[in-house]
């Protein structure tokens, strides 16, 4: 009886040393998916939604009961003042789809905690982008170097807030898992931008990868292009 | 000078389209207490400065005292908020309302503050074809849309090609540069059309 136990312990010790035999399950940050009926072995089509209603441009109430309904809808039908909230739902639905397709990882180079020190190392382009000028100015820089005077803080829900003179940017970890099919754990992160002195707001969804301890975090995929 | 009445009317109509209009307080998608046309109420103390009415049969009756307004603020601030909760869903949790006249007053103040910023940025002495007040009405409307969305510093610093085109009075070149992914296709098209409708370097005097 003891031999299998010793083997298991040895295996765990070895995997801790070289990191190539881990089996890290994908995980989802469920509180960030309110009204999503996600069960074990859910597939994207079977996940039901509750409480997602919007006003249309002609004043009617539009309700979405599944992500398929929501992602197949046209945002031009939604009243302008509901647009951001509608885009948050679309963002969540895409995140769910990515998470359900994720595989367990064999290794991870991300820390277990999603916090300010991790956000500091993310590419500066991780902030929802408004145009090419912003993208070019931020390319090759990290949050730490581009927003040198920005204040980072941890929010009650575990999100990280980056505040600058003009902007507030919220980073929320939605899921972890192998999202890029290379065996290495990636992060699925929602980023929200809010203008502090105006009404602008924008949301994006990112797949972040880190393929080595000394490698920089890269954006492997994003929902919104500018 | 003052903002042209026709421009102000259109700006007010547009802001209402973008923000909605709610007589009761609600939590926006960040959990901030808000009322009227996107008017943020920064804390419970700020309720004292706003005029709310008690209601009977869904109609405003008498002016609510500060204590009651702050109690309503406290109650709503504790409610869940976020992507599931549109502004209208908070109506059932409120007892007080603002009258249209008070909502309009807040909106006017909002427009005035952006107008001041616009007149500070767009000056002939700073290289623009005219002072803001003398720019064509449709250009004024387009700039209002941009500043309301992005804020004063971003429309200049983050949109340099747009700014250069505005300085040249080249509205045709400026039009595509106003595109923003955070607003709707319809709104982007509206702003582009405003600029495209103005002949190059056409400057009006009121």
């Amino acid at each position: 009886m003891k031999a299998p136990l010793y083997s298991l312990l040895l295996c765990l010790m070895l995997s801790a040393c070289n990191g190539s035999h881990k089996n890290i399950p994908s995980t989802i940050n469920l509180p960030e998916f309110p009204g999503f009926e996600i069960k074990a072995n859910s597939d994207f089509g079977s996940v039901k939604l509750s409480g997602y209603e919007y006003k249309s441009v002609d004043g009617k109430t539009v309700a979405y009961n599944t992500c398929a309904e929501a992602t197949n809808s046209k945002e031009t039908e939604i009243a302008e003042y509901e647009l951001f909230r509608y885009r948050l739902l679309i963002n969540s639905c895409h995140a769910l789809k990515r998470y359900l397709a994720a595989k367990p990882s064999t290794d991870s180079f991300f820390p277990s905690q999603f916090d300010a020190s991790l956000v500091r190392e993310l590419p500066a382009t991780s902030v929802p982008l408004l145009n090419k000028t912003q993208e070019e100015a931020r390319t090759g820089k990290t949050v730490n170097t581009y927003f040198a005077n920005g204040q980072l803080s941890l929010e009650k829900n575990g999100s990280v807030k980056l505040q600058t003179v003009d902007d507030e940017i919220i980073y929320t970890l939605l899921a972890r898992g192998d999202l890029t099919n290379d065996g290495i754990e990636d992060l699925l992160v929602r980023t929200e931008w809010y203008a502090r002195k105006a009404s602008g707001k924008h949301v994006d969804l990112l797949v972040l990868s880190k393929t080595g301890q000394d490698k920089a975090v890269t954006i492997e995929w994003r929902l919104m292009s500018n | 000078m003052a903002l042209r009445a026709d421009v102000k009317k259109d700006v007010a109509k547009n802001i209402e389209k973008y923000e909605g209009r709610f007589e009761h307080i609600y939590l926006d998608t960040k959990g901030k207490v808000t009322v009227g046309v996107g008017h943020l109420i920064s804390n419970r103390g700020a309720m004292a400065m706003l005029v709310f009415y008690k209601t009977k049969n869904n109609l405003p009756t008498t002016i609510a005292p500060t204590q009651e307004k702050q109690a309503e603020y406290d109650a709503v601030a504790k409610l869940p908020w976020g992507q599931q909760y549109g502004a209208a869903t908070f109506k059932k949790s409120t007892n007080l309302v603002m009258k249209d006249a008070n909502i309009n007053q807040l909106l006017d103040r909002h427009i005035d503050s952006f107008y001041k910023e616009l007149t500070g940025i767009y000056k002939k002495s700073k290289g623009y074809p005219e002072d803001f007040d003398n720019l064509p009405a449709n250009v004024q409307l387009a700039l209002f849309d941009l500043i309301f969305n992005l804020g004063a510093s971003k429309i200049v610093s983050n949109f340099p090609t747009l700014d250069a085109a505005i300085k040249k009075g080249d509205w045709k070149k400026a039009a595509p540069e106003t595109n923003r992914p955070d607003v709707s296709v319809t709104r982007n098209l509206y702003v582009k059309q405003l600029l495209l409708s103005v002949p190059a370097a056409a400057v009006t005097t009121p």
Side-chain angles (χ1 to χ4, degrees), chain A residues 32 34-36 50-52 54 75 80-85 87-89 92 129-131 133-134 138 166-168 193-195 197-202 224-225, chain B residues 16-20 22 29-30 32 82-87 114 117 147-154 157-161 179-187:
Chain A
E32 293 301 327
F36 281 61
S50 61
Y52 284 95
Y54 303 87
E75 74 169 32
E80 294 262 358
Y81 69 88
E82 296 268 51
L83 184 64
F84 182 68
R85 205 167 61 81
R87 284 183 176 175
L88 285 172
L89 170 63
S92 297
L129 297 166
L130 295 177
N131 60 15
T133 303
Q134 276 195 342
R138 293 168 191 192
D166 292 317
D167 304 314
E168 201 171 281
W193 162 74
Y194 299 92
K197 297 167 185 169
S199 65
K201 40 191 170 289
H202 194 25
M224 301 294 285
S225 56
Chain B
E16 192 169 322
K17 195 196 287 181
Y18 306 150
E19 295 292 313
F22 297 93
T29 47
K30 270 201 315 178
K32 305 277 187 194
Q83 57 188 16
Q84 273 185 303
Y85 302 96
F114 282 115
E117 289 190 308
I147 200 168
F148 178 71
N149 176 229
L150 300 165
S153 65
K154 269 202 173 50
S157 64
N158 282 214
F159 289 75
T161 316
N179 195 68
R180 291 148 289 159
D182 61 311
V183 304
S184 70
V185 173
T186 315
R187 183 169 169 183

Coordinates of all heavy atoms in Angstrom, one line a residue, chain A residues 32 34-36 50-52 54 75 80-85 87-89 92 129-131 133-134 138 166-168 193-195 197-202 224-225, chain B residues 16-20 22 29-30 32 82-87 114 117 147-154 157-161 179-187:
Chain A
E32 N -17.9 36.9 -11.2 CA -17.8 37.9 -12.3 C -18.8 37.5 -13.4 O -18.8 38.2 -14.4 CB -16.4 38.1 -12.8 CG -15.5 38.7 -11.8 CD -15.9 40.1 -11.4 OE1 -16.5 40.8 -12.2 OE2 -15.7 40.5 -10.2
P34 N -22.4 37.0 -13.0 CA -23.7 37.0 -12.4 C -24.8 36.6 -13.3 O -24.9 37.1 -14.5 CB -23.9 38.4 -11.8 CG -23.0 39.3 -12.8 CD -21.9 38.4 -13.1
G35 N -25.7 35.8 -12.9 CA -26.9 35.4 -13.7 C -26.5 34.4 -14.8 O -27.3 34.0 -15.6
F36 N -25.3 33.8 -14.7 CA -24.9 32.8 -15.7 C -25.1 31.4 -15.0 O -24.5 31.2 -13.9 CB -23.4 32.9 -16.1 CG -23.1 34.0 -17.1 CD1 -23.4 35.3 -16.9 CD2 -22.5 33.6 -18.3 CE1 -23.1 36.3 -17.8 CE2 -22.2 34.6 -19.3 CZ -22.5 35.9 -19.0
S50 N -29.9 34.8 -16.7 CA -31.1 35.4 -16.1 C -30.8 36.8 -15.7 O -29.7 37.1 -15.3 CB -31.6 34.6 -15.0 OG -30.6 34.5 -13.9
G51 N -31.8 37.7 -15.9 CA -31.6 39.1 -15.5 C -30.9 40.0 -16.5 O -30.5 41.1 -16.1
Y52 N -30.8 39.6 -17.7 CA -30.1 40.5 -18.7 C -31.1 41.1 -19.6 O -31.5 40.5 -20.6 CB -29.0 39.7 -19.4 CG -27.8 39.5 -18.6 CD1 -27.7 38.3 -17.9 CD2 -26.9 40.5 -18.5 CE1 -26.5 38.2 -17.0 CE2 -25.8 40.3 -17.6 CZ -25.6 39.2 -16.9 OH -24.5 39.0 -16.1
Y54 N -32.4 44.8 -21.6 CA -31.9 46.1 -22.1 C -33.0 46.9 -22.8 O -34.0 46.2 -23.3 CB -30.8 45.9 -23.1 CG -29.6 45.1 -22.5 CD1 -29.6 43.8 -22.5 CD2 -28.6 45.8 -21.9 CE1 -28.6 43.0 -21.9 CE2 -27.5 45.1 -21.3 CZ -27.6 43.7 -21.3 OH -26.6 43.0 -20.8
E75 N -25.7 45.1 -31.9 CA -25.7 46.2 -30.9 C -26.3 47.5 -31.3 O -26.7 48.3 -30.5 CB -24.2 46.4 -30.3 CG -23.3 47.2 -31.3 CD -22.0 47.6 -30.6 OE1 -21.6 46.9 -29.7 OE2 -21.5 48.6 -31.0
E80 N -28.5 53.7 -26.9 CA -27.1 54.1 -26.6 C -26.7 54.1 -25.1 O -25.6 53.7 -24.8 CB -26.9 55.6 -27.1 CG -27.1 55.7 -28.6 CD -25.8 55.8 -29.4 OE1 -24.7 55.7 -28.7 OE2 -25.8 55.9 -30.6
Y81 N -27.6 54.5 -24.3 CA -27.3 54.6 -22.9 C -27.1 53.2 -22.2 O -26.7 53.1 -21.1 CB -28.2 55.4 -22.1 CG -29.6 54.9 -21.9 CD1 -30.0 54.0 -20.9 CD2 -30.7 55.2 -22.8 CE1 -31.3 53.5 -20.7 CE2 -31.9 54.7 -22.7 CZ -32.2 53.9 -21.6 OH -33.5 53.4 -21.5
E82 N -27.5 52.1 -22.9 CA -27.4 50.8 -22.4 C -26.2 50.0 -23.1 O -25.9 48.9 -22.8 CB -28.6 49.9 -22.8 CG -29.9 50.4 -22.1 CD -30.2 49.7 -20.8 OE1 -29.2 49.7 -19.9 OE2 -31.3 49.2 -20.6
L83 N -25.5 50.7 -24.0 CA -24.5 50.1 -24.8 C -23.3 49.5 -24.0 O -22.9 48.3 -24.2 CB -23.9 51.1 -25.8 CG -22.9 50.5 -26.8 CD1 -23.5 49.5 -27.7 CD2 -22.3 51.6 -27.7
F84 N -22.9 50.2 -23.0 CA -21.7 49.7 -22.2 C -22.1 48.5 -21.5 O -21.4 47.5 -21.4 CB -21.2 50.8 -21.3 CG -20.0 50.4 -20.5 CD1 -18.8 50.1 -21.1 CD2 -20.1 50.1 -19.2 CE1 -17.7 49.7 -20.4 CE2 -19.0 49.7 -18.4 CZ -17.8 49.5 -19.0
R85 N -23.3 48.5 -20.9 CA -23.8 47.4 -20.1 C -24.0 46.1 -21.0 O -23.6 45.0 -20.6 CB -25.1 47.7 -19.4 CG -25.4 46.9 -18.1 CD -26.5 47.6 -17.3 NE -27.7 47.7 -18.0 CZ -28.6 46.7 -18.2 NH1 -28.3 45.5 -17.6 NH2 -29.7 46.8 -18.8
R87 N -22.3 45.7 -23.7 CA -20.9 45.2 -24.1 C -20.3 44.4 -23.0 O -19.5 43.5 -23.2 CB -20.1 46.3 -24.5 CG -20.4 46.8 -25.9 CD -19.5 48.0 -26.4 NE -19.7 48.4 -27.7 CZ -19.1 49.4 -28.3 NH1 -18.2 50.1 -27.6 NH2 -19.4 49.7 -29.6
L88 N -20.6 44.7 -21.8 CA -20.1 43.9 -20.6 C -20.6 42.5 -20.7 O -19.9 41.5 -20.5 CB -20.5 44.5 -19.3 CG -19.8 45.8 -18.8 CD1 -20.5 46.4 -17.6 CD2 -18.3 45.5 -18.5
L89 N -21.9 42.3 -21.1 CA -22.5 41.0 -21.2 C -21.8 40.2 -22.4 O -21.4 39.1 -22.2 CB -24.0 41.0 -21.5 CG -24.6 39.7 -21.9 CD1 -24.5 38.7 -20.8 CD2 -26.1 39.9 -22.2
S92 N -18.5 39.1 -21.3 CA -18.6 37.9 -20.4 C -18.9 36.6 -21.2 O -18.4 35.6 -20.9 CB -19.7 38.1 -19.3 OG -19.4 39.2 -18.5
L129 N -8.0 50.1 -25.9 CA -7.4 51.2 -26.7 C -8.4 52.0 -27.5 O -9.4 51.4 -27.9 CB -6.4 50.5 -27.7 CG -5.3 49.8 -27.0 CD1 -4.6 48.9 -28.0 CD2 -4.3 50.8 -26.5
L130 N -8.2 53.3 -27.6 CA -9.1 54.1 -28.3 C -8.8 54.4 -29.7 O -9.6 54.7 -30.6 CB -9.3 55.5 -27.6 CG -9.9 55.4 -26.2 CD1 -9.9 56.7 -25.5 CD2 -11.3 54.8 -26.2
N131 N -7.4 54.3 -30.0 CA -7.0 54.5 -31.4 C -5.6 54.0 -31.6 O -4.9 53.6 -30.6 CB -7.2 55.9 -31.9 CG -6.4 56.9 -31.0 OD1 -5.5 56.5 -30.3 ND2 -6.7 58.2 -31.2
T133 N -3.0 55.7 -32.2 CA -2.0 56.6 -31.6 C -1.7 56.1 -30.2 O -0.6 56.0 -29.8 CB -2.6 58.1 -31.5 OG1 -2.9 58.5 -32.8 CG2 -1.6 59.0 -30.8
Q134 N -2.8 55.7 -29.5 CA -2.6 55.2 -28.1 C -1.8 53.9 -28.2 O -0.9 53.6 -27.4 CB -4.0 54.9 -27.5 CG -4.6 56.1 -26.8 CD -5.8 55.7 -25.9 OE1 -6.3 54.6 -26.0 NE2 -6.2 56.6 -25.0
R138 N 2.0 53.1 -26.6 CA 2.1 52.1 -25.4 C 2.9 50.8 -25.8 O 3.2 50.1 -24.9 CB 0.7 51.8 -24.9 CG 0.0 52.9 -24.3 CD -1.4 52.8 -24.1 NE -2.0 54.0 -23.7 CZ -3.2 54.2 -23.2 NH1 -4.0 53.2 -23.0 NH2 -3.7 55.4 -22.9
D166 N -6.4 61.3 -15.6 CA -7.6 61.3 -16.5 C -8.4 60.1 -16.5 O -9.6 60.1 -16.9 CB -7.2 61.7 -17.9 CG -6.7 63.1 -18.1 OD1 -7.3 64.0 -17.5 OD2 -5.6 63.3 -18.7
D167 N -7.8 59.0 -16.1 CA -8.5 57.7 -16.4 C -8.5 56.8 -15.2 O -7.7 56.9 -14.2 CB -7.7 56.9 -17.5 CG -7.5 57.7 -18.8 OD1 -8.5 58.2 -19.2 OD2 -6.4 57.7 -19.3
E168 N -9.5 55.8 -15.2 CA -9.5 54.8 -14.2 C -9.6 53.5 -15.1 O -10.5 53.4 -16.0 CB -10.8 55.0 -13.4 CG -10.7 54.3 -12.1 CD -11.9 54.7 -11.2 OE1 -11.9 55.7 -10.6 OE2 -12.9 53.9 -11.1
W193 N -12.1 50.7 -19.1 CA -11.5 52.1 -19.1 C -12.7 53.0 -18.8 O -13.8 52.9 -19.4 CB -10.9 52.4 -20.4 CG -10.7 53.9 -20.6 CD1 -9.8 54.7 -19.9 CD2 -11.5 54.8 -21.4 NE1 -9.9 56.0 -20.3 CE2 -11.0 56.1 -21.2 CE3 -12.5 54.6 -22.3 CZ2 -11.5 57.2 -21.9 CZ3 -13.1 55.7 -22.9 CH2 -12.5 57.0 -22.7
Y194 N -12.5 53.9 -17.9 CA -13.4 55.0 -17.6 C -12.7 56.3 -17.6 O -11.7 56.4 -16.9 CB -14.1 54.8 -16.2 CG -14.8 53.5 -16.0 CD1 -14.2 52.3 -15.5 CD2 -16.2 53.4 -16.4 CE1 -14.9 51.1 -15.4 CE2 -16.9 52.2 -16.2 CZ -16.2 51.1 -15.8 OH -16.9 49.9 -15.6
A195 N -13.3 57.3 -18.3 CA -12.7 58.6 -18.3 C -13.1 59.2 -17.0 O -14.3 59.2 -16.6 CB -13.2 59.4 -19.5
K197 N -12.9 62.5 -16.2 CA -13.5 63.8 -16.3 C -14.4 63.9 -17.5 O -14.7 65.0 -18.0 CB -12.3 64.8 -16.5 CG -11.4 64.9 -15.2 CD -10.1 65.6 -15.5 CE -9.2 65.6 -14.4 NZ -7.8 66.1 -14.7
A198 N -14.9 62.8 -17.9 CA -15.9 62.7 -19.0 C -16.7 61.5 -18.9 O -16.6 60.8 -17.9 CB -15.1 62.8 -20.4
S199 N -17.5 61.1 -19.9 CA -18.4 60.0 -19.7 C -17.9 58.7 -20.4 O -18.6 57.7 -20.3 CB -19.8 60.4 -20.3 OG -19.6 60.6 -21.7
G200 N -16.7 58.8 -21.1 CA -16.3 57.6 -21.9 C -16.0 56.4 -21.0 O -15.5 56.5 -19.9
K201 N -16.4 55.3 -21.6 CA -16.0 54.0 -21.0 C -15.9 52.9 -22.1 O -16.6 53.0 -23.1 CB -17.1 53.6 -19.9 CG -18.5 53.9 -20.2 CD -19.3 53.7 -19.0 CE -20.8 54.2 -19.1 NZ -20.9 55.6 -19.2
H202 N -15.1 52.0 -21.8 CA -14.8 51.0 -22.8 C -14.4 49.7 -22.1 O -13.9 49.7 -21.0 CB -13.7 51.5 -23.7 CG -13.6 50.7 -25.0 ND1 -14.6 50.0 -25.6 CD2 -12.5 50.5 -25.9 CE1 -14.2 49.4 -26.7 NE2 -12.9 49.8 -26.9
M224 N -11.5 43.3 -28.6 CA -11.8 44.5 -29.3 C -10.5 45.0 -30.1 O -9.4 45.0 -29.5 CB -12.1 45.6 -28.3 CG -13.3 45.4 -27.5 SD -14.9 45.3 -28.4 CE -15.1 47.0 -28.8
S225 N -10.7 45.3 -31.4 CA -9.7 45.9 -32.1 C -10.0 47.4 -32.2 O -11.2 47.7 -32.1 CB -9.5 45.2 -33.5 OG -10.7 45.3 -34.2
Chain B
E16 N -28.6 63.2 -23.6 CA -29.7 62.4 -23.0 C -29.8 61.0 -23.7 O -30.0 60.0 -23.1 CB -31.0 63.2 -23.2 CG -32.1 62.6 -22.4 CD -33.3 63.4 -22.3 OE1 -33.2 64.7 -22.2 OE2 -34.4 62.9 -22.4
K17 N -29.5 61.0 -25.0 CA -29.5 59.8 -25.7 C -28.4 58.8 -25.2 O -28.5 57.6 -25.1 CB -29.3 60.1 -27.2 CG -29.6 58.9 -28.1 CD -29.1 59.0 -29.5 CE -29.8 60.1 -30.3 NZ -29.3 60.2 -31.7
Y18 N -27.2 59.4 -24.9 CA -26.0 58.6 -24.5 C -26.1 58.2 -23.1 O -25.5 57.2 -22.7 CB -24.7 59.4 -24.7 CG -24.5 60.0 -26.1 CD1 -23.8 61.2 -26.3 CD2 -25.1 59.3 -27.2 CE1 -23.6 61.7 -27.6 CE2 -24.9 59.8 -28.5 CZ -24.2 61.0 -28.7 OH -24.0 61.5 -30.0
E19 N -26.8 59.0 -22.2 CA -26.8 58.7 -20.8 C -28.1 58.2 -20.3 O -28.2 57.7 -19.1 CB -26.4 60.0 -20.0 CG -25.0 60.5 -20.3 CD -24.0 59.5 -19.7 OE1 -24.1 59.1 -18.5 OE2 -23.0 59.2 -20.4
G20 N -29.2 58.4 -21.0 CA -30.5 58.1 -20.5 C -31.0 59.2 -19.6 O -30.2 60.2 -19.4
F22 N -33.2 59.6 -16.0 CA -33.9 58.9 -14.9 C -34.2 59.9 -13.8 O -33.3 60.6 -13.3 CB -33.0 57.8 -14.4 CG -32.8 56.7 -15.5 CD1 -31.7 56.8 -16.3 CD2 -33.8 55.8 -15.7 CE1 -31.5 55.9 -17.4 CE2 -33.6 54.8 -16.8 CZ -32.5 54.9 -17.6
T29 N -22.7 51.3 -13.8 CA -22.1 50.0 -13.9 C -20.8 49.9 -13.0 O -20.2 48.9 -12.9 CB -21.7 49.7 -15.4 OG1 -21.0 50.9 -15.9 CG2 -22.9 49.4 -16.2
K30 N -20.4 51.1 -12.4 CA -19.3 51.0 -11.5 C -19.8 51.1 -10.1 O -19.0 51.2 -9.1 CB -18.4 52.2 -11.8 CG -17.3 51.9 -12.8 CD -16.1 52.8 -12.7 CE -16.4 54.3 -12.5 NZ -15.2 55.1 -12.4
K32 N -21.6 53.7 -8.9 CA -21.7 55.1 -8.4 C -23.2 55.5 -8.4 O -23.9 55.3 -9.4 CB -20.9 56.0 -9.3 CG -19.4 55.5 -9.4 CD -18.6 56.0 -8.3 CE -17.1 55.8 -8.5 NZ -16.3 55.9 -7.3
G82 N -24.0 46.5 -11.4 CA -23.1 45.8 -12.4 C -23.9 45.5 -13.6 O -24.9 46.1 -13.9
Q83 N -23.3 44.5 -14.4 CA -23.8 44.3 -15.7 C -25.3 43.8 -15.8 O -25.9 44.0 -16.9 CB -22.9 43.4 -16.5 CG -22.7 42.0 -15.9 CD -21.6 41.2 -16.6 OE1 -20.8 41.7 -17.3 NE2 -21.6 39.9 -16.3
Q84 N -25.8 43.3 -14.7 CA -27.2 42.9 -14.8 C -28.2 44.0 -14.5 O -29.4 43.8 -14.7 CB -27.4 41.8 -13.7 CG -27.1 40.4 -14.2 CD -27.5 39.4 -13.0 OE1 -27.0 39.5 -11.9 NE2 -28.4 38.5 -13.3
Y85 N -27.7 45.1 -13.9 CA -28.6 46.1 -13.4 C -28.6 47.4 -14.1 O -27.7 48.2 -14.0 CB -28.2 46.4 -11.9 CG -28.3 45.1 -11.0 CD1 -27.1 44.4 -10.8 CD2 -29.5 44.6 -10.5 CE1 -27.1 43.2 -10.1 CE2 -29.5 43.5 -9.8 CZ -28.3 42.8 -9.6 OH -28.4 41.6 -8.8
G86 N -29.6 47.5 -15.0 CA -29.8 48.8 -15.7 C -30.4 49.8 -14.8 O -30.9 49.5 -13.7
A87 N -30.3 51.1 -15.2 CA -30.7 52.2 -14.3 C -32.2 52.0 -13.9 O -32.6 52.2 -12.8 CB -30.5 53.5 -15.0
F114 N -18.5 71.8 -19.9 CA -17.8 71.4 -21.2 C -17.6 72.5 -22.1 O -16.5 72.6 -22.8 CB -18.5 70.2 -21.8 CG -18.3 68.9 -21.1 CD1 -19.4 68.2 -20.5 CD2 -17.0 68.3 -21.1 CE1 -19.2 67.0 -19.9 CE2 -16.8 67.1 -20.4 CZ -17.9 66.4 -19.8
E117 N -14.6 74.4 -21.2 CA -13.3 73.7 -21.6 C -13.1 73.9 -23.1 O -11.9 74.1 -23.5 CB -13.4 72.2 -21.2 CG -13.4 72.0 -19.7 CD -13.2 70.5 -19.3 OE1 -14.1 69.7 -19.8 OE2 -12.3 70.2 -18.6
I147 N -15.6 65.8 -26.6 CA -15.1 66.2 -25.2 C -16.0 65.6 -24.1 O -15.5 65.2 -23.1 CB -15.1 67.8 -25.0 CG1 -14.2 68.1 -23.8 CG2 -16.4 68.4 -24.8 CD1 -13.8 69.6 -23.7
F148 N -17.3 65.4 -24.4 CA -18.2 64.7 -23.5 C -17.7 63.3 -23.3 O -17.8 62.7 -22.2 CB -19.6 64.8 -24.0 CG -20.6 64.1 -23.1 CD1 -20.9 64.7 -21.9 CD2 -21.2 62.9 -23.5 CE1 -21.8 64.1 -21.0 CE2 -22.1 62.3 -22.6 CZ -22.4 62.9 -21.4
N149 N -17.2 62.7 -24.3 CA -16.8 61.3 -24.3 C -15.4 61.1 -23.7 O -15.2 60.2 -22.9 CB -17.0 60.7 -25.7 CG -16.5 59.2 -25.8 OD1 -15.7 58.9 -26.7 ND2 -16.9 58.4 -24.9
L150 N -14.5 61.9 -24.2 CA -13.1 61.7 -23.9 C -12.5 62.6 -22.9 O -11.5 62.2 -22.2 CB -12.3 61.8 -25.2 CG -12.6 60.9 -26.4 CD1 -12.0 61.5 -27.7 CD2 -12.2 59.5 -26.1
G151 N -13.0 63.8 -22.7 CA -12.4 64.7 -21.8 C -11.5 65.7 -22.5 O -11.0 65.3 -23.6
A152 N -11.2 66.8 -21.9 CA -10.4 67.8 -22.6 C -9.0 67.4 -23.0 O -8.6 67.7 -24.1 CB -10.4 69.1 -21.7
S153 N -8.3 66.8 -22.1 CA -6.9 66.5 -22.5 C -6.8 65.4 -23.6 O -5.9 65.5 -24.4 CB -6.1 66.1 -21.2 OG -6.6 64.9 -20.7
K154 N -7.7 64.5 -23.6 CA -7.5 63.4 -24.5 C -7.8 63.8 -26.0 O -7.2 63.3 -26.9 CB -8.5 62.2 -24.2 CG -7.8 61.2 -23.3 CD -8.5 59.9 -23.4 CE -7.8 58.8 -22.7 NZ -7.4 59.2 -21.3
S157 N -4.4 65.4 -26.9 CA -3.2 64.6 -26.8 C -3.3 63.2 -27.4 O -2.3 62.7 -27.9 CB -2.7 64.5 -25.3 OG -3.7 63.8 -24.6
N158 N -4.4 62.6 -27.3 CA -4.5 61.2 -27.9 C -5.1 61.2 -29.3 O -5.1 60.1 -29.9 CB -5.5 60.4 -27.0 CG -4.8 59.9 -25.7 OD1 -5.0 58.8 -25.2 ND2 -3.8 60.7 -25.2
F159 N -5.4 62.4 -29.8 CA -6.0 62.4 -31.2 C -5.2 63.5 -32.0 O -5.8 64.4 -32.4 CB -7.5 62.7 -31.2 CG -8.3 61.5 -30.7 CD1 -8.3 61.1 -29.3 CD2 -9.0 60.7 -31.6 CE1 -9.1 60.0 -28.9 CE2 -9.7 59.6 -31.1 CZ -9.8 59.2 -29.8
P160 N -3.9 63.3 -32.1 CA -3.1 64.4 -32.7 C -3.4 64.6 -34.2 O -3.3 65.8 -34.7 CB -1.6 63.9 -32.6 CG -1.7 62.4 -32.4 CD -3.0 62.2 -31.7
T161 N -3.8 63.6 -34.9 CA -4.1 63.8 -36.4 C -5.4 64.6 -36.5 O -5.5 65.5 -37.3 CB -4.2 62.4 -37.1 OG1 -3.2 61.6 -36.7 CG2 -4.2 62.6 -38.6
N179 N -13.3 58.7 -35.1 CA -13.8 57.3 -34.8 C -13.3 56.8 -33.4 O -12.1 56.9 -33.1 CB -13.4 56.3 -35.8 CG -14.2 55.1 -35.8 OD1 -15.4 55.1 -36.0 ND2 -13.5 54.0 -35.3
R180 N -14.2 56.4 -32.6 CA -13.9 55.8 -31.3 C -14.5 54.5 -31.1 O -15.8 54.3 -31.3 CB -14.4 56.8 -30.2 CG -13.6 58.1 -30.1 CD -14.5 59.2 -29.7 NE -15.5 59.6 -30.7 CZ -16.7 60.2 -30.4 NH1 -17.0 60.5 -29.2 NH2 -17.5 60.5 -31.4
P181 N -13.8 53.5 -30.7 CA -14.4 52.1 -30.5 C -15.4 52.0 -29.3 O -16.1 51.1 -29.2 CB -13.2 51.2 -30.3 CG -12.1 52.1 -29.8 CD -12.4 53.4 -30.3
D182 N -15.3 53.0 -28.4 CA -16.1 52.9 -27.2 C -17.5 53.4 -27.4 O -18.4 53.2 -26.6 CB -15.5 53.6 -26.0 CG -15.3 55.1 -26.3 OD1 -14.8 55.5 -27.4 OD2 -15.7 55.9 -25.4
V183 N -17.8 54.0 -28.5 CA -19.1 54.5 -28.8 C -19.8 53.7 -30.0 O -19.1 53.0 -30.7 CB -19.2 56.0 -29.1 CG1 -18.6 56.8 -28.0 CG2 -18.6 56.4 -30.4
S184 N -21.1 53.9 -30.1 CA -21.8 53.1 -31.2 C -21.4 53.5 -32.6 O -20.9 54.6 -32.8 CB -23.3 53.2 -31.0 OG -23.7 54.5 -31.3
V185 N -21.7 52.6 -33.5 CA -21.5 52.9 -34.9 C -22.3 54.1 -35.3 O -21.8 55.0 -36.0 CB -21.9 51.6 -35.7 CG1 -21.9 51.9 -37.2 CG2 -21.0 50.4 -35.4
T186 N -23.5 54.1 -34.8 CA -24.4 55.3 -35.1 C -23.8 56.6 -34.7 O -23.9 57.6 -35.4 CB -25.8 55.0 -34.4 OG1 -26.2 53.7 -34.6 CG2 -26.9 55.9 -35.0
R187 N -23.3 56.6 -33.5 CA -22.7 57.8 -32.9 C -21.5 58.3 -33.7 O -21.3 59.4 -34.0 CB -22.4 57.6 -31.4 CG -21.9 58.9 -30.7 CD -21.9 58.7 -29.3 NE -21.2 59.7 -28.6 CZ -21.0 59.7 -27.3 NH1 -21.4 58.7 -26.5 NH2 -20.3 60.7 -26.7

